[in-house]
Amino acid sequence: MSEVLLLSRAQFGLNIGFHILFPSLTIALGWILFYFRIRYARSGDPAWLATYKLWTKVFALSFAMGVVTGITMSFQFGTNWPGFMQKVGNIAGPLLAYEVLTAFFLEATFLGIMLFGMNRVPGWVHIFASAMVAIGTTLSAFWILALNSWMQTPAGQVTQGGQIIAGDWWQVLFNPSFPFRFTHMLLASGLTASFVVAGLSAWRLLRAGEDGSARVTLRTGLVLAAILAPVQVFVGDQHGLNTLEHQPAKIAAIEAIWKTERSVPLVLLAIPDEDKRRNDFAIEIPKGASLLLRHDADAELKGIDAFAPDTAPVAPVFFAFRAMVGIGMLMLLAASWGAWTTRRGRLPPRWMLWTLSGFTFSGWLATLCGWLVTEIGRQPWLVTGILRTADAVGGASGAQLGASLTGYVITYTAMFLAYLVVLTHLAGKGAHA
Amino acid sequence: MNLDLPLVFAALMGLAMLMYVVLDGYDLGVGMLMPAADAREQELMVASIGPFWDANETWLVLGVGILLVAFPVAHGIVLGALYLPVAWMLIGLMLRGVAFEFRIKAEGWHRELWNGLFWFGSFLASFAQGFMLGRYITGFHAGFGYTVFALLVGASLCGGYVLLGATWLVLKTQGVLQAKALGWARWGLAWVALAVALVSLATPVVSQSVHAKWFDFPRTLALMLLPLATLAAGWLVWASTGRLKRGEAQADWVPFAGAVAIFALAFAGLAYSLFPFVVIDRMTIWEAASHPSALGFMLAGVAIVLPFLVAYTAFAYRVFRGKARPGLYE
């Protein structure tokens, strides 16, 4: 891989990986805030108001982080990947434009009213503004996931006079992997937000002691997570089967299946060896992969050899997938156990509070691992079968990329540390923050 | 009906960019003025832009977004040529965006640090935008003179944003802070005069086609209305701030309106110079445009969404009309 391509990918990967943390929190947190706001409107209880205000601050902070890193991305499409818009701009462009038009302005404008307007507008207008912010963040996810899914499993496009254009926008939007990816991502956001809510509430209980509103939000987060986690396991499995149908090369990399054969074992853990095209130290379940993916122990599965030379690097996809599933299972366990210990207003034991504090950002880890799987797993394609990543890269020099990459790394590190400090500070102060 | 889609999108892009420059311009300007105020005044300054800055920056995404989606080839050329200043601007915008949120929650020297970063980020983003403008209107030519020119435009745009920010504060504050803002506005105006003069003189020198467009009698006479109107707007700002300073009767929104008029007129002049090029002397909007199917699909969305966008933006400004009050998140 050339130096420029490598640096362009590193820079864009860093940026998009950093960016996705914040939307994946705010998409669902917007709805949780709406719930808190409704609870306050119906009960008039100041504890709900305090809860709403505290989490509004967390939301505003995360939203700002999402906005500024998102602006960066809209520029990096041009600076790092000009070939992308030249080749598929007629499809990608309108989807991005619709995101800005329908989602960005909606959420940013109503956020102002939601944050600063509570004493300036009637209650129902404020509730309406809270709903618009939540709808805006979800719409934003809709357009971005539609574009990403189209890049993974293109559909609905036609070639006319050497240009790729949309033949049927409905097919472009609702391409084969979109319903699965969109649901999977919304659930990931729900889990991320509910663990942040539960984790920071647990932290408040540990730091600030008995705190009525923290107990309620702890419970809210845990119940939500305990409901969503099993649904996510099911949706994730369906998403995997969809990937097998439309992007079998990615599944081969995920499962580290090197050769096309029948009765393929399920590799639980191994060290994939890219050069020798085999797995070292493999722990396998005989016929497991065939059974899991085809529901038939003797079924044939396509291996990486069937797609050579257009194959993704196996090791990162293989490990990221296992990390995602592993973290997800731990989250399922923590959420259901935590929900059990908080049943009927009980205060969970301190070790459980510590555990939940530790799980605060578990959703981020799982989400990042999931995106690594899906984005590395579709390499070398940027748009499957249409555009290679290497053909989209821009003309910036290695020195320019290196200098700006250094700047981004320093800025992001500082921003992230400050974000964590403020978040724990807000949570530690309790409802009086 | 046969709609000239690239032309429509060029107009929309221009409108979005102008909206961005005016709207984010005032909040960037307020950010740059932070060190000139004391702690209590800083709270009011921040409160005056708090409800708006997120949405203001969205216009940048829309402007660049239209460049990206309607003129993809030009987007690659322009942003490729401006690679490093774009990176500075983004880092500046990131710093100020998060500093804005962090400073509200911080205390003591932490708050001082975030105030400093808020100022620095605002300055860096403004300067980088001006620098980019300087590079853009000179067709990205390399050379010492061109770099100095771009640096001057960078500094001048900072002055322009300070003018917008100061007149915004005149509108949104009262008392001692408003009096200070009046002084800042007059300094900003001097900078803007320099900026407008610089850009107006330099563009015809750099580009033959721009020269030809402006110095073509008798059209030149009609075109002279543009600089004359700009002068009038400048005088309006000067006179109205003067009256407010002396405590004479004067509506407090007039200086801001004058500043916006200066930006709109300068923008119109620039648009006239560049048209129909999207990359000066190299690529016209028709050469750079996307396929009509993509533009048509987007135009439908714009037509549906734009009225709502305008309506709720107007609503937000109505909700937060009047003088800024201290204390955010209340």
Side-chain angles (χ1 to χ4, degrees):
Chain A
M1 209 186 309
S2 80
E3 176 194 61
V4 168
L5 178 60
L6 189 70
L7 283 169
S8 290
R9 283 185 66 186
Q11 189 174 84
F12 195 71
L14 171 79
N15 192 79
I16 203 162
F18 189 59
H19 171 74
I20 193 64
L21 299 180
F22 304 102
S24 53
L25 176 58
T26 53
I27 291 163
L29 191 56
W31 289 108
I32 295 176
L33 275 177
F34 181 61
Y35 167 74
F36 289 161
R37 183 67 185 80
I38 293 282
R39 289 300 296 258
Y40 168 61
R42 301 187 81 178
S43 67
D45 184 349
W48 279 114
L49 180 63
T51 304
Y52 175 77
K53 286 199 165 171
L54 172 67
W55 287 99
T56 303
K57 286 175 196 166
V58 174
F59 183 88
L61 198 60
S62 313
F63 189 84
M65 299 279 279
V67 168
V68 295
T69 51
I71 292 174
T72 309
M73 301 219 329
S74 69
F75 281 89
Q76 284 190 353
F77 283 128
T79 53
N80 292 25
W81 310 108
F84 174 63
M85 290 309 286
Q86 277 163 31
K87 183 91 180 180
V88 297
N90 290 319
I91 289 178
L95 298 184
L96 289 168
Y98 268 86
E99 191 218 359
V100 178
L101 284 170
T102 60
F104 265 28
F105 277 109
L106 194 69
E107 52 193 358
T109 308
F110 282 104
L111 183 67
I113 296 176
M114 183 175 130
L115 291 180
F116 308 115
M118 209 167 182
N119 294 336
R120 286 184 177 242
V121 294
W124 69 269
V125 174
H126 191 254
I127 293 172
F128 177 75
S130 300
M132 286 300 123
V133 170
I135 291 173
T137 52
T138 310
L139 272 177
S140 187
F142 173 86
W143 294 110
I144 290 303
L145 270 290
L147 173 56
N148 184 276
S149 299
W150 182 81
M151 290 161 66
Q152 305 262 359
T153 54
Q157 74 280 7
V158 291
T159 307
Q160 202 180 77
Q163 274 190 300
I164 293 168
I165 63 168
D168 180 345
W169 278 107
W170 194 260
Q171 279 187 36
V172 169
L173 278 177
F174 294 93
N175 59 76
S177 66
F178 171 72
F180 298 92
R181 199 182 311 278
F182 184 50
T183 318
H184 196 45
M185 183 62 208
L186 287 187
L187 287 168
S189 173
L191 283 163
T192 302
S194 52
F195 267 92
V196 168
V197 169
L200 289 183
S201 305
W203 178 249
R204 276 168 66 192
L205 288 168
L206 287 167
R207 289 292 298 268
E210 191 62 25
D211 178 336
S213 75
R215 278 172 78 157
V216 177
T217 49
L218 175 70
R219 177 79 185 153
T220 309
L222 284 172
V223 170
L224 188 59
I227 296 169
L228 295 182
V231 181
Q232 182 71 305
V233 172
F234 172 74
V235 170
D237 180 53
Q238 294 298 308
H239 188 17
L241 293 178
N242 176 265
T243 308
L244 177 67
E245 190 183 338
H246 296 281
Q247 293 176 287
K250 190 189 281 186
I251 291 291
I254 286 175
E255 302 296 356
I257 304 167
W258 295 100
K259 283 195 278 297
T260 307
E261 56 190 10
R262 309 187 76 83
S263 308
V264 184
L266 180 66
V267 184
L268 292 179
L269 263 183
I271 299 176
D273 186 331
E274 212 81 45
D275 295 327
K276 296 189 182 124
R277 300 186 156 267
R278 64 163 200 228
N279 298 322
D280 297 331
F281 312 106
I283 305 168
E284 300 175 335
I285 300 175
K287 304 189 179 188
S290 290
L291 197 61
L292 193 70
L293 290 164
R294 292 276 190 220
H295 303 291
D296 169 6
D298 296 316
E300 186 187 77
L301 286 177
K302 284 219 164 78
I304 287 153
D305 58 347
F307 307 100
D310 292 335
T311 56
V314 174
V317 180
F318 176 84
F319 285 120
F321 182 78
R322 270 142 197 81
M324 175 188 76
V325 173
I327 297 166
M329 289 304 160
L330 288 176
M331 288 167 74
L332 174 65
L333 189 69
S336 31
W337 198 342
W340 173 251
T341 59
T342 54
R343 70 191 182 282
R344 290 190 214 99
R346 270 167 234 228
L347 189 67
R350 284 184 76 80
W351 64 265
M352 179 48 99
L353 292 179
W354 279 111
T355 309
L356 291 172
S357 303
F359 269 80
T360 305
F361 299 115
S362 53
W364 277 357
L365 285 179
T367 305
L368 276 182
C369 289
W371 278 106
L372 284 176
V373 171
T374 204
E375 297 302 298
I376 300 178
R378 59 130 158 232
Q379 301 299 327
W381 298 106
L382 189 58
V383 181
T384 307
I386 293 177
L387 176 65
R388 283 164 196 278
T389 312
D391 295 333
V393 75
S397 70
Q400 285 180 325
L401 282 159
S404 55
L405 181 60
T406 313
Y408 286 125
V409 169
I410 294 170
T411 313
Y412 287 167
T413 311
M415 276 165 61
F416 193 59
L417 287 177
Y419 176 81
L420 291 182
V421 168
V422 175
L423 220 58
T424 39
H425 177 71
L426 275 178
K429 278 210 292 194
H432 312 292
Chain B
M1 188 179 69
N2 217 343
L3 211 54
D4 188 345
L5 285 167
L7 187 64
V8 170
F9 274 88
L12 281 172
M13 179 169 75
L15 181 72
M17 290 292 192
L18 179 62
M19 286 296 282
Y20 170 74
V21 165
V22 167
L23 293 176
D24 210 30
Y26 79 69
D27 70 54
L28 284 164
V30 170
M32 282 188 280
L33 287 166
M34 290 283 279
D38 66 34
R40 206 185 51 80
E41 292 164 351
Q42 286 176 346
E43 290 321 297
L44 276 172
M45 290 164 72
V46 165
S48 79
I49 59 174
F52 306 115
W53 77 268
D54 264 328
N56 291 350
E57 288 195 352
T58 309
W59 289 97
L60 177 64
V61 181
L62 183 65
V64 175
I66 295 177
L67 179 63
L68 176 73
V69 302
F71 309 104
V73 189
H75 183 267
I77 295 176
V78 172
L79 293 191
L82 298 175
Y83 185 83
L84 282 182
V86 163
W88 305 339
M89 177 191 74
L90 292 173
I91 288 173
L93 286 178
M94 282 193 261
L95 281 180
R96 75 183 292 271
V98 296
F100 182 89
E101 294 294 333
F102 286 147
R103 66 174 295 290
I104 302 173
K105 283 121 193 159
E107 286 154 10
W109 69 269
H110 278 257
R111 177 167 281 210
E112 287 310 306
L113 174 71
W114 290 119
N115 276 341
L117 283 174
F118 185 56
W119 170 81
F120 177 72
S122 302
F123 169 73
L124 185 64
S126 310
F127 192 88
Q129 285 173 8
F131 186 85
M132 282 150 63
L133 176 65
R135 301 287 299 129
Y136 177 71
I137 55 182
T138 52
F140 311 118
H141 289 294
F144 180 72
Y146 290 110
T147 308
V148 171
F149 174 74
L151 288 172
L152 277 172
V153 179
S156 325
L157 191 68
C158 289
Y161 285 172
V162 162
L163 172 68
L164 279 169
T167 52
W168 171 257
L169 289 173
V170 170
L171 169 63
K172 301 297 280 185
T173 66
Q174 47 205 342
V176 183
L177 179 54
Q178 193 190 39
K180 276 192 183 176
L182 287 167
W184 298 332
R186 299 184 134 216
W187 274 106
L189 188 63
W191 267 107
V192 169
L194 179 68
V196 174
L198 254 180
V199 175
S200 311
L201 293 178
T203 18
V205 174
V206 171
S207 162
Q208 274 305 312
S209 59
V210 173
H211 185 274
K213 271 185 171 176
W214 285 89
F215 299 96
D216 166 28
F217 286 95
R219 194 157 48 156
T220 309
L221 293 176
L223 286 170
M224 281 306 119
L225 282 175
L226 216 51
L228 285 176
T230 313
L231 272 178
W235 181 82
L236 181 70
V237 175
W238 187 260
S240 57
T241 49
R243 273 197 292 278
L244 282 164
K245 259 174 113 76
R246 293 189 297 273
E248 295 167 22
Q250 170 66 54
D252 56 7
W253 56 266
V254 174
F256 185 65
V260 172
I262 293 174
F263 269 86
L265 289 163
F267 190 86
L270 201 58
Y272 175 74
S273 296
L274 290 174
F275 187 82
F277 292 104
V278 64
V279 182
I280 198 163
D281 289 347
R282 271 163 70 186
M283 185 177 284
T284 68
I285 55 173
W286 295 284
E287 289 163 351
S290 298
H291 194 271
S293 71
L295 293 177
F297 182 63
M298 280 191 287
L299 192 62
V302 171
I304 297 166
V305 173
L306 207 58
F308 288 99
L309 176 63
V310 171
Y312 61 66
T313 304
F315 176 69
Y317 275 86
R318 213 186 111 73
V319 166
F320 296 101
R321 70 189 178 281
K323 302 294 180 187
R325 305 172 200 166
L328 285 163
Y329 295 112
E330 288 311 319

